[in-house]
Amino acid sequence: MLSLLLALLSLPVYVLMLWPLVVASRRVLGVRIGTVRALLAAAFGWFVPGAILAAVRPEVVHSPGAFVGLLIPLAGGAFLATLIFLFLAEMAAPGGGGLGLLGRIRSLRRRFSRARRYSQIMRIAIKHGLGPYLAGRRDPELAGHRYAKLARSLRRALEDGGVTFVKLGQLLSTRPDLLPPVFIDELSRLQDQVAHASADDVQQLLRDELGAPADEVFAEFDQEPVAAASIAQVYRARLRTGEDVVVKVQRPGVREVVERDLDIVLRVAHSLHQRAKWARSLGVIDLAEGLGAALAEELDFRVEARNIAAVVAAYPSGDVSLPRVHQKFSTERVLVMQRLDGVPLGAAGDQVAADQRGSLARSLLECLLRQVMLHGVFHADPHPGNVLLLADGRLGLLDFGSVGRLDTGLRGGLQNLLLALERSDPAALRDGLLEIVDRPDDIDEQRLERALGVLVAKHFTHGQAPDVEMFTDLFRVITDFGLAIPPAIAAVFRALTTLEGTLAVLAPGFNIVVESRAFATAQLGERLRPDSLRRTATEELMTLLPVVRRLPRRLDRISGALEQGRLSMNVRLFADERDRAVVTGWVHELLLAFLGATTGLMAVLLLTSTGGPVVGDDLTLNHLFAYNFLVISALVGLRLLFVVFRTQRQNSLSDRSGP
């Protein structure tokens, strides 16, 4: 009984001894570790060096002075043993963050599901010859027809991978600044290949979302879908008011599939970012995160309903018809819209009169350009399947799951870019381009202007109208100068490229570049009208008014300080964060080198000395200090080597980060 009481009383003392190791191990590993597991690891950590010391130098255990003198080596050994214990424990049985037994079982099920899906994806990649690229390797002789073969293999692998990977390929097809044209062309042909979802599952989803069976909500509901994609299926229906509608229903279970695949995509992206320089040059982590954000919007049909409302508000003209959303029947997984009576443009064939093709193409282009340039909300995927030829001869736009948004600054930059193309002015083209890209600090603007001058001379001075090849050359210039296109601008170029293919189906020979320049010129003419100039001048004056009001007071302060000899100018040294980082790194390395060399030299001197108080058999106080200094010197030296090699590796990767 007494021994049990003593053990209970001494328990807080043991915990206090173990807790520093618990805290240090959590900080080093950077993961959450349960308290019980951490305490067990710390106890194991203290036991190992103690047992080794008792076996090698048993006399030290019975000598308090010697034991205290060896405390630093013992603590270092305990810390290392603690980390090893935790590493092996996490490998054998992951902690799970305190989920409990049920949570652990569910976690194991998710891990098993992810592992099975990951193995399936790996089999698809290996089947299409992409295995070496997932391992971080790249063919150094990749060029020409081998590029085309790789692009075709990538497209087929993404199609076999399912909805998430098809969307990833479609996202990559919007980045001509990252991928060669052959990849952009191939990925632009990605199509969802899915079977129809079960009718019973769809009816159950409608009942869950609308609160009643489809037969009670709608006067008529066609059980056979008119279109099926990887995210949703579309059905014809009629409201009880008699209005014809289409009902977009999310595929049952697609959210779970997307979330699981997104987790895999993010894990693969982080792995490739660490192992492959071509992946870092592509920015695979940003692409994966952008894919996650885009799919999150597509899985919420309320976002698409807001997109439709925004685009309708941005284009109130009736030249191109846009559907109206029935908010009463629309939820997160169900979207009910006005049915546009027509056929997809790709299947219209000769139904369009020859004399109307040009005007329809011009109306469609103007519709998109007005959305982009004037309102900043635009349909980002106007392919022929999303454009209808209506029964009344007009065009209609469908599928607003992919919508782009531009702020005022980017819209102004695009307008300036189009006006510079209209004037064939390389300097203005450079300024407009730098307004819409992420500008690096060390760009050579004069060399960029010369490169754009070559582009202008190639496409605008031969007496013929420029074509879409001009955009390919423009993206090549952007890539050569290391300029990064923001996702919103990439969506604009993708929409224009997609629209160019749609207009080629509608009106062969229609030149989208010439018509876009004409649109920009017309908008400039509208801005030069007296009422527009007056409105613009008023807006600018209202913006400048606060500055003008403060200007006299500031001039008075400057002149007063100059008159009294108190005018001075402060310059902040190392104001740039990068300069501070470089200097801090140098000082850090110098301090580590000095500390390591000093403690090492002191250890050598003390070990070679023969004096000092005796604390054990053949062990003096000088030797105890020497052993401690040796441990400190070794740890500091290892830390210095780690810092140096990591810095060299990062510099090497940055020098070779090109694609």
Side-chain angles (χ1 to χ4, degrees):
M1 186 65 181
L2 181 60
S3 60
L4 178 60
L5 181 61
L6 291 175
L8 291 175
L9 291 175
S10 61
L11 184 60
V13 178
Y14 292 143
V15 172
L16 289 176
M17 292 180 58
L18 300 178
W19 195 250
L21 282 183
V22 171
V23 175
S25 59
R26 284 175 170 174
R27 293 290 299 273
V28 170
L29 292 178
V31 296
R32 184 180 179 189
I33 303 170
T35 302
V36 175
R37 176 174 296 195
L39 289 173
L40 289 175
F44 175 79
W46 278 116
F47 170 77
V48 170
I52 295 176
L53 182 63
V56 176
R57 303 294 293 265
E59 72 279 2
V60 174
V61 178
H62 303 288
S63 175
F67 186 81
V68 172
L70 292 174
L71 191 59
I72 292 180
L74 286 172
F79 183 54
L80 180 61
T82 301
L83 293 181
I84 293 175
F85 180 92
L86 289 174
F87 176 77
L88 295 176
E90 289 293 319
M91 290 289 292
L99 296 176
L101 180 60
L102 183 59
R104 292 175 187 275
I105 295 175
R106 292 176 178 174
S107 177
L108 288 175
R109 291 177 58 186
R110 288 194 298 268
R111 288 172 182 269
F112 178 74
S113 175
R114 184 171 63 237
R116 184 173 55 186
R117 176 62 172 158
Y118 187 80
S119 64
Q120 180 184 2
I121 293 170
M122 290 298 297
R123 288 196 300 270
I124 293 173
I126 294 172
K127 170 186 173 183
H128 293 282
L130 302 178
Y133 295 88
L134 290 180
R137 297 191 297 271
R138 185 180 183 183
D139 190 350
E141 300 180 357
L142 195 63
H145 70 283
R146 301 190 68 178
Y147 257 138
K149 181 179 179 182
L150 177 60
R152 188 163 51 251
S153 299
L154 177 62
R155 176 181 61 81
R156 292 172 177 172
L158 292 174
E159 286 179 343
D160 291 347
V163 49
T164 308
F165 296 93
V166 169
K167 298 298 180 183
L168 174 61
Q170 292 172 348
L171 176 64
L172 289 172
S173 70
T174 68
R175 302 303 303 269
D177 58 317
L178 299 180
L179 296 177
V182 63
F183 282 87
I184 300 299
D185 294 341
E186 194 69 39
L187 294 177
S188 298
R189 293 198 288 266
L190 274 169
Q191 300 293 332
D192 298 340
Q193 298 178 349
V194 293
H196 292 174
S198 167
D200 294 337
D201 293 340
V202 171
Q203 291 296 323
Q204 182 61 44
L205 187 147
L206 287 171
R207 187 181 298 109
D208 295 339
E209 292 294 312
L210 301 179
D215 295 340
E216 297 181 10
V217 176
F218 303 99
E220 296 180 11
F221 187 88
D222 194 347
Q223 298 292 334
E224 189 69 20
V226 296
S230 53
I231 293 289
Q233 298 185 162
V234 179
Y235 297 84
R236 294 179 182 271
R238 177 173 295 168
L239 298 178
R240 296 196 174 275
T241 58
E243 184 176 355
D244 291 331
V245 295
V246 291
V247 182
K248 185 175 181 179
V249 184
Q250 190 174 113
R251 295 179 67 89
V254 70
R255 182 179 295 274
E256 291 75 12
V257 173
V258 168
E259 290 176 350
R260 180 194 60 195
D261 286 354
L262 274 178
D263 181 58
I264 293 175
V265 169
L266 283 171
R267 290 171 183 269
V268 173
H270 282 281
S271 176
L272 289 176
H273 180 81
Q274 294 176 355
R275 292 185 293 175
K277 60 182 181 181
W278 62 265
R280 286 186 292 273
S281 67
L282 289 180
V284 291
I285 294 179
D286 291 337
L287 287 172
E289 292 176 349
L291 173 66
L295 282 175
E297 287 196 355
E298 287 200 46
L299 289 172
D300 189 347
F301 290 170
R302 294 170 299 185
V303 175
E304 183 172 351
R306 291 194 296 268
N307 292 340
I308 295 176
V311 174
V312 169
Y315 184 71
S317 174
D319 293 343
V320 177
S321 182
L322 305 174
R324 180 171 57 88
V325 177
H326 293 272
Q327 298 287 352
K328 177 181 177 182
F329 304 103
S330 298
T331 66
E332 183 179 357
R333 296 191 292 173
V334 175
L335 182 63
V336 180
M337 298 173 289
Q338 171 191 3
R339 186 195 306 174
L340 299 181
D341 186 15
V343 295
L345 195 60
D350 297 332
Q351 298 183 32
V352 185
D355 58 343
Q356 295 180 344
R357 291 180 177 271
S359 61
L360 288 176
R362 198 167 290 107
S363 297
L364 184 58
L365 176 62
E366 182 181 351
C367 174
L368 184 64
L369 290 178
R370 282 188 174 276
Q371 295 172 25
V372 171
M373 300 295 183
L374 304 183
H375 301 279
V377 181
F378 61 94
H379 193 298
D381 193 21
H383 63 75
N386 285 339
V387 181
L388 290 181
L389 177 63
L390 303 180
D392 60 4
R394 296 183 302 156
L395 297 178
L397 271 178
L398 300 177
D399 193 359
F400 291 81
S402 178
V403 169
R405 296 177 180 86
L406 293 174
D407 58 31
T408 305
L410 291 178
R411 293 204 305 272
L414 281 175
Q415 292 172 1
N416 294 335
L417 190 68
L418 284 178
L419 291 174
L421 289 175
E422 171 63 24
R423 300 195 306 267
S424 302
D425 184 352
L429 184 59
R430 175 204 61 198
D431 295 338
L433 180 62
L434 292 178
E435 288 185 55
I436 65 172
V437 299
D438 294 335
R439 171 177 176 168
D441 295 332
D442 55 350
I443 186 172
D444 188 343
E445 294 191 18
Q446 186 176 5
R447 193 166 67 90
L448 175 61
E449 182 180 341
R450 287 198 297 268
L452 293 173
V454 172
L455 183 145
V456 169
K458 177 180 178 181
H459 293 280
F460 291 90
T461 59
H462 295 290
Q464 59 183 5
D467 53 17
V468 291
E469 291 298 325
M470 179 199 66
F471 289 108
T472 302
D473 292 340
L474 179 61
F475 282 121
R476 187 175 295 114
V477 172
I478 291 173
T479 304
D480 292 342
F481 281 84
L483 304 176
I485 297 181
I489 296 296
V492 171
F493 283 114
R494 184 229 179 170
L496 291 175
T497 303
T498 305
L499 183 65
E500 192 271 338
T502 302
L503 296 178
V505 173
L506 177 60
F510 186 85
N511 193 309
I512 187 174
V513 178
V514 172
E515 296 294 336
S516 298
R517 293 171 65 192
F519 175 84
T521 304
Q523 291 303 311
L524 178 62
E526 290 185 7
R527 290 162 60 181
L528 294 177
R529 291 169 52 188
D531 55 343
S532 298
L533 287 175
R534 185 170 25 312
R535 183 172 60 254
T536 302
T538 303
E539 293 173 354
E540 293 295 333
L541 286 175
M542 292 298 294
T543 303
L544 289 175
L545 185 59
V547 179
V548 174
R549 292 179 59 186
R550 291 192 299 266
L551 188 59
R553 185 167 59 253
R554 291 182 176 178
L555 288 175
D556 181 63
R557 290 178 181 175
I558 293 174
S559 61
L562 183 61
E563 180 182 4
Q564 300 172 14
R566 293 186 292 102
L567 184 64
S568 62
M569 181 174 61
N570 295 327
V571 178
R572 296 180 59 188
L573 296 176
F574 304 112
D576 194 325
E577 183 180 353
R578 293 170 298 176
D579 295 338
R580 294 197 301 271
V582 171
V583 175
T584 303
W586 288 348
V587 173
H588 188 197
E589 293 177 12
L590 287 174
L591 288 177
L592 285 176
F594 177 77
L595 181 60
T598 302
T599 52
L601 180 61
M602 292 174 63
V604 172
L605 292 176
L606 289 173
L607 282 175
T608 56
S609 68
T610 57
V614 177
V615 296
D617 296 339
D618 299 329
L619 184 66
T620 66
L621 185 61
N622 290 350
H623 293 163
L624 286 178
F625 284 132
Y627 293 144
N628 288 296
F629 285 144
L630 276 178
V631 172
I632 295 174
S633 179
L635 292 176
V636 171
L638 289 175
R639 173 65 180 172
L640 179 61
L641 289 176
F642 173 77
V643 170
V644 171
F645 286 131
R646 182 181 61 180
T647 303
Q648 290 181 349
R649 184 171 183 271
Q650 290 175 347
N651 293 337
S652 176
L653 292 176
S654 62
D655 292 338
R656 298 180 297 169
S657 60

